[in-house]
Amino acid sequence: MKGNITKILSILIAVIAVIGAFLFIRIFLADADAVATDPETQNSVISPIITFSTSLFYIAVGTAVLMSVLALVKNPDSLKKTLLGLVVLGVILVLAYFTGDSLAVTDPQGKVLEGGEAGSSVNQWVSTGIWYSMFLGIIAGAFFVWDLIKGLIKS
């Protein structure tokens, strides 16, 4: 059974590689000037590889999520740890949201950019993302230093 799955996966990977190579070669064979100036040529040459890549991405993400959920259902102890981790990440996200601001986004001359008006929810979420990354970076750095110190003490 395991050998059959390996063979099937190998064939599937080979088919995906051949399709990807074919689409990639089509881009190189297309006339560069026509692709640069003619939207219809652009669409016929570049769109298929973008659609193919996007489809592969969605399939990979779906498979990863499905396999993770199945592993969590099979092992309830890891489910508890995962839920605890998600709660901690949620608390950090809420902290980042309230730390972030929704001030106007300006260019170097001080002119407010289109869509960057003060009070915009987009500005709020971008600021939240920046603060969230900073908080996670600080926490990761603290754990790194803690592990380094712990390792130095043990040796």
Side-chain angles (χ1 to χ4, degrees), residues 83-106:
L83 289 176
L84 179 64
L86 287 174
V87 167
V88 169
L89 287 174
V91 168
I92 295 170
L93 180 65
V94 169
L95 254 164
Y97 184 82
F98 288 116
T99 305
D101 58 30
S102 58
L103 299 177
V105 179
T106 59

Side-chain angles (χ1 to χ4, degrees), residues 3 12 36-37 56 58-60 88 92 97 107 119 124 127 131 134 140 142:
L12 183 65
T37 57
L56 285 178
Y58 288 140
I59 290 169
V88 169
I92 295 170
Y97 184 82
D107 62 10
Q124 179 70 40
S127 180
W131 279 104
M134 287 176 50

Side-chain angles (χ1 to χ4, degrees), residues 89 92 132-148:
L89 287 174
I92 295 170
Y132 191 63
S133 299
M134 287 176 50
F135 288 157
L136 291 178
I138 290 167
I139 292 168
F143 277 117
F144 177 76
V145 169
W146 175 257
D147 190 48
L148 182 67

Side-chain angles (χ1 to χ4, degrees), residues 21-51:
F22 171 75
L23 293 173
F24 196 65
I25 290 170
R26 277 189 61 205
I27 292 173
F28 283 113
L29 295 178
D31 182 25
D33 293 333
V35 171
T37 57
D38 184 24
E40 194 169 307
T41 306
Q42 258 182 5
N43 196 28
S44 68
V45 173
I46 297 173
S47 285
I49 197 164
I50 292 173
T51 303

